[in-house]
Amino acid sequence: MKKSLILVLFVLAVQLFALDKSLVTVKDTTVNNGVVLVTIQQSGKTYDLQCTQSAPFCTAPQVGTYWMVRLPKNHGIYDCANVDLYPQSANPEGGDQILGEYCLNEK
């Protein structure tokens, strides 16, 4: 009985911490007055990513395909829906090669 309870708790914990990741395409990147604005496309929808150039993990990515990971509510440095961007070749689960952390704005 204890083993089944532990297994159920483990499965629930894994689901809670599973990453909400998806492939996105960076269409355009601009830098204006210290603000990096990145236009991305995901499943036919267009979004803007925004970060403050002086903040840690704020970069201006080139046009291409990247992994975007949506962070849980109240995680991240911005007062909005926060996302992390990784190169397509990276493993977001490992947290390596993060390109930047951005505020996600729907157009």
Side-chain angles (χ1 to χ4, degrees):
M1 180 70 178
K2 286 184 181 181
K3 289 182 182 180
S4 347
L5 182 60
I6 291 172
L7 180 63
V8 168
L9 290 174
F10 177 74
V11 169
L12 290 174
V14 167
Q15 289 178 348
L16 272 176
F17 294 108
L19 295 178
D20 180 8
K21 71 175 186 174
S22 57
L23 279 174
V24 297
T25 303
V26 170
K27 296 294 188 181
D28 185 46
T29 301
T30 56
V31 180
N32 190 7
N33 292 327
V35 175
V36 176
L37 187 63
V38 182
T39 303
I40 64 167
Q41 194 166 35
Q42 176 190 24
S43 303
K45 288 187 173 183
T46 301
Y47 301 91
D48 282 333
L49 303 180
Q50 182 178 341
C51 66
T52 306
Q53 199 171 22
S54 62
F57 298 113
C58 179
T59 60
Q62 296 181 356
V63 172
T65 305
Y66 298 87
W67 284 110
M68 181 178 76
V69 176
R70 293 177 187 254
L71 300 179
K73 189 174 182 175
N74 298 323
H75 285 76
I77 60 175
Y78 301 106
D79 268 345
C80 59
N82 285 259
V83 298
D84 288 343
L85 208 59
Y86 296 86
Q88 188 177 7
S89 61
N91 176 15
E93 285 89 359
D96 60 344
Q97 298 179 341
I98 184 172
L99 291 176
E101 185 169 311
Y102 305 88
C103 181
L104 175 67
N105 300 308
E106 200 167 340
K107 279 190 165 184

